[in-house]
Amino acid sequence: KNEVEQSPQNLTAQEGEFITINCSYSVGISALHWLQQHPGGGIVSLFMLSSGKKKHGRLIATINIQEKHSSLHITASHPRDSAVYICAVGRGSQGNLIFGKGTKLSVKP
Amino acid sequence: GEEVAQTPKHLVRGEGQKAKLYCAPIKGHSYVFWYQQVLKNEFKFLISFQNENVFDETGMPKERFSAKCLPNSPCSLEIQATKLEDSAVYFCASSQAEWTEAFFGQGTRLTVV
């Protein structure tokens, strides 16, 4: 079993839909990251969180440390949100991350 | 600079040849991280630096991989005697301080033939 599990693996949505991507982990962590990898390969760091909830525009990330679970929500999804979303957990030093296998999101107009 | 600059974008090496990848972090950023992405979604942490000092090298395959961050020079990741399984995209990221947002470069695609 992987230490970081994401679901779903693939997700297709219609423009405007509310999206949820889930991440469960089985190890103690110092922080959890959500990354976005564009179809061209570029990576953007969306959130780094160790408790509670963070919001950035239409993106919301939550984490429940007791349940070892995090969710990434996208409100009013748009085709430009189409990308692979990757959950990664930090176990010790910053940057030393264990990565999930990603969720490929496709938003149709 | 205002972005993490990785060079080259693409690198092709014959098996057994040396490969050297470069990363210029954002100016003022103290931390540099290297990651390897094999296939589409298999990321692995390799090494991190705090300025020119190795911070965490627990992910580095020590036999053939080495990395440096010297003052006033881009950081580098070098692979001696490349193997087919080293084919991957290598990403570099930098952050201003520990536990602050990391910014990623565009990656170097290494193909070993």
Side-chain angles (χ1 to χ4, degrees):
Chain A
K1 190 177 187 294
N2 294 326
E3 291 171 297
V4 180
E5 296 273 3
Q6 282 187 239
S7 62
Q9 268 187 293
N10 294 284
L11 182 55
T12 301
Q14 285 299 128
E15 185 172 357
E17 283 184 3
F18 181 81
I19 306 283
T20 295
I21 299 171
N22 295 299
C23 176
S24 296
Y25 52 92
S26 57
V27 296
I29 68 168
S30 44
L32 183 142
H33 301 249
W34 282 103
L35 307 172
Q36 179 192 54
Q37 187 167 32
H38 293 286
I43 298 173
V44 174
S45 174
L46 299 175
F47 295 103
M48 179 172 69
L49 63 166
S50 52
S51 64
K53 177 178 171 178
K54 285 190 176 179
K55 186 174 191 285
H56 232 164
R58 294 180 296 106
L59 301 178
I60 303 165
T62 63
I63 187 168
N64 184 319
I65 297 291
Q66 286 74 31
E67 293 185 6
K68 295 189 171 162
H69 181 268
S70 174
S71 293
L72 176 68
H73 305 286
I74 306 174
T75 60
S77 58
H78 191 275
R80 65 173 174 265
D81 297 326
S82 299
V84 176
Y85 292 83
I86 301 163
C87 170
V89 301
R91 294 193 59 186
S93 68
Q94 184 199 1
N96 187 338
L97 303 176
I98 304 171
F99 293 82
K101 292 196 186 305
T103 293
K104 186 173 180 182
L105 172 65
S106 178
V107 182
K108 307 287 185 196
Chain B
E2 290 300 313
E3 61 177 28
V4 177
Q6 288 190 248
T7 54
K9 282 197 177 141
H10 302 278
L11 189 57
V12 180
R13 286 288 177 266
E15 212 175 352
Q17 289 186 316
K18 183 173 78 174
K20 196 162 185 179
L21 291 60
Y22 296 93
C23 168
I26 292 173
K27 195 175 177 185
H29 281 197
S30 304
Y31 287 80
V32 171
F33 316 97
W34 283 99
Y35 301 97
Q36 178 193 56
Q37 183 181 23
V38 178
L39 304 176
K40 247 332 187 164
N41 296 323
E42 301 268 349
F43 278 93
K44 181 188 170 192
F45 165 77
L46 294 175
I47 190 169
S48 60
F49 286 85
Q50 181 185 13
N51 297 312
E52 61 266 27
N53 304 306
V54 174
F55 193 63
D56 183 340
E57 57 180 349
T58 51
M60 280 287 264
K62 297 265 180 60
E63 318 81 57
R64 296 180 298 107
F65 285 61
S66 62
K68 289 180 194 173
C69 275
L70 299 175
N72 304 312
S73 296
C75 296
S76 63
L77 176 70
E78 190 168 315
I79 309 172
Q80 303 285 342
T82 52
K83 296 183 177 181
L84 296 176
E85 67 246 32
D86 299 331
S87 295
V89 181
Y90 291 84
F91 286 97
C92 169
S94 72
S95 69
Q96 191 171 32
E98 201 173 7
W99 305 116
T100 58
E101 185 184 4
F103 294 82
F104 283 77
Q106 292 296 306
T108 292
R109 180 177 294 278
L110 171 65
T111 303
V112 181
V113 297

